[in-house]
Amino acid sequence: MAIVTQTPLNPGDSPLVREALSSVVSRETTAVQTAPRSGGAPSDNSGGWPRPPKTRVIAVANQKGGVGKTTTSVNIAAALSMHGQRVLVIDLDPQGNASTALATEHRGDIPDVYQVLVDDLPMNEIVKQVPDMPGLYCAPATIDLAGAEIELVSLVAREARLRRALSAYDEIEFDYIIIDCPPSLGLLTVNALVAAEEVMIPIQCEYYALEGLGQLLRNVDLIKAHLNPTLRLSTIVLTMYDGRTRLASQVAEEVRSHFGDTVLKTVVPRSVRLSEAPSYGQSVMTYDPGSSGAMAYKDAAREIAHRALIAG
């Protein structure tokens, strides 16, 4: 049985942060250790980034809504694909926002993730290439997925339906599979965490950023203990950063003080372009590649790509 301890609190933490972090479960001492980076991070260029030694399956999760899960999933995936990676985005949110942002049809009778999870439809029958984005693919979600939480309850191995579907899918050898989770800790998110090896958590740089984080990390530990021993928290992304406020920098500093190198050095600023891009069926990487949001996600994706060398 894993020994669960509380995350240490700093004397200067605000009452809210102390309350939130008092419930955060620390990582087990047997967690994956990363090797020292040799020679520093390679410089960015217009060519490809290093490919991971095996497919990295990353669940982007946070039960809080509006923290940038879909925006992060879509733009990290787009940035990786633009630099030589083969990436699949699995839209596991019934709202289908990731499918919209990637210009992938997800209305009407379009085969989607719901049929994969509930009806055992092969994954290769729903995966579509994103228009004008070589190397980027999407498994869409329709509103039918909203009923999957109920229908999965009676199915055998309900927590591992997505993992089974991915293990049987060998049409394309992906470098990254990024799973955009719904804003809940229900069976859909559990399926994502069982299928993944890594968890990426977007944290909004605002007052209630850490609210509920403890519950999410407890769920990650439970799934690691009982269903997926390879699961680990690999990445935290700070989103919606407003450099004009002291609060944003305070939240960023406190998150970094408690999670260390798990937090990307890159912070994603608030950006109108990030909000506009999905309405054009695009990621911000193609909609406005010179915007602050696009540059931030490019830097974040580069960090993630080079971390593959460390964890591999």
Side-chain angles (χ1 to χ4, degrees):
M1 179 178 296
I3 299 175
V4 175
T5 59
Q6 291 184 334
T7 304
L9 300 177
N10 293 331
D13 283 339
S14 66
L16 175 73
V17 173
R18 292 179 63 84
E19 179 183 354
L21 286 171
S22 66
S23 64
V24 172
V25 179
S26 67
R27 313 271 47 89
E28 296 178 40
T29 56
T30 56
V32 176
Q33 299 296 314
T34 58
R37 183 175 304 186
S38 59
S43 59
D44 187 25
N45 53 55
S46 58
W49 291 339
R51 294 177 58 189
K54 65 175 184 175
T55 303
R56 293 178 66 184
V57 185
I58 304 173
V60 182
N62 191 329
Q63 75 269 32
K64 283 181 65 63
V67 299
K69 286 188 298 296
T70 298
T71 300
T72 297
S73 300
V74 166
N75 290 296
I76 291 289
L80 288 168
S81 73
M82 292 169 72
H83 288 80
Q85 313 294 314
R86 291 168 298 195
V87 187
L88 170 63
V89 176
I90 298 178
D91 191 351
L92 214 57
D93 188 341
Q95 297 176 83
N97 292 337
S99 305
T100 298
L102 295 175
T104 303
E105 183 61 42
H106 63 105
R107 293 177 178 82
D109 298 327
I110 300 296
D112 74 318
V113 176
Y114 167 84
Q115 290 163 301
V116 170
L117 295 177
V118 176
D119 300 330
D120 292 320
L121 185 71
M123 184 70 78
N124 64 342
E125 294 192 24
I126 73 164
V127 171
K128 307 295 181 187
Q129 183 169 352
V130 176
D132 303 318
M133 293 288 289
L136 183 57
Y137 298 79
C138 179
T142 69
I143 193 63
D144 291 343
L145 196 57
E149 294 273 1
I150 297 173
E151 296 187 48
L152 283 171
V153 169
S154 61
L155 298 181
V156 175
R158 60 193 179 188
E159 302 92 350
R161 306 284 289 188
L162 182 59
R163 179 170 65 185
R164 187 175 68 177
L166 287 177
S167 65
Y169 180 67
D170 57 3
E171 297 292 314
I172 301 171
E173 184 184 349
F174 290 109
D175 298 304
Y176 294 85
I177 297 176
I178 296 177
I179 308 172
D180 182 32
C181 296
S184 73
L185 293 176
L187 269 175
L188 290 176
T189 298
V190 169
N191 262 268
L193 296 177
V194 171
E197 292 185 352
E198 302 179 40
V199 183
M200 180 190 300
I201 304 178
I203 295 182
Q204 185 179 6
C205 292
E206 300 217 345
Y207 190 66
Y208 291 112
L210 301 174
E211 189 179 58
L213 186 59
Q215 183 61 50
L216 173 59
L217 295 180
R218 278 193 293 274
N219 278 29
V220 169
D221 281 335
L222 285 171
I223 288 170
K224 180 176 180 177
H226 299 287
L227 297 169
N228 182 8
T230 64
L231 186 66
R232 64 189 178 93
L233 172 61
S234 66
T235 311
I236 291 177
V237 186
L238 295 169
T239 64
M240 302 182 187
Y241 184 85
D242 187 345
R244 299 169 299 178
T245 67
R246 292 180 58 188
L247 178 62
S249 58
Q250 180 188 8
V251 170
E253 288 172 9
E254 289 172 339
V255 171
R256 290 187 193 282
S257 71
H258 289 283
F259 293 99
D261 291 339
T262 303
V263 186
L264 294 183
K265 294 181 175 62
T266 304
V267 295
V268 179
R270 286 192 175 275
S271 168
V272 173
R273 292 291 188 259
L274 287 173
S275 302
E276 290 176 348
S279 65
Y280 292 89
Q282 298 182 55
S283 69
V284 76
M285 308 306 299
T286 55
Y287 175 68
D288 188 352
S291 65
S292 60
M295 298 300 288
Y297 274 118
K298 178 183 175 182
D299 290 342
R302 183 176 59 242
E303 281 191 64
I304 292 168
H306 290 308
R307 285 186 176 194
L309 299 177
I310 302 173

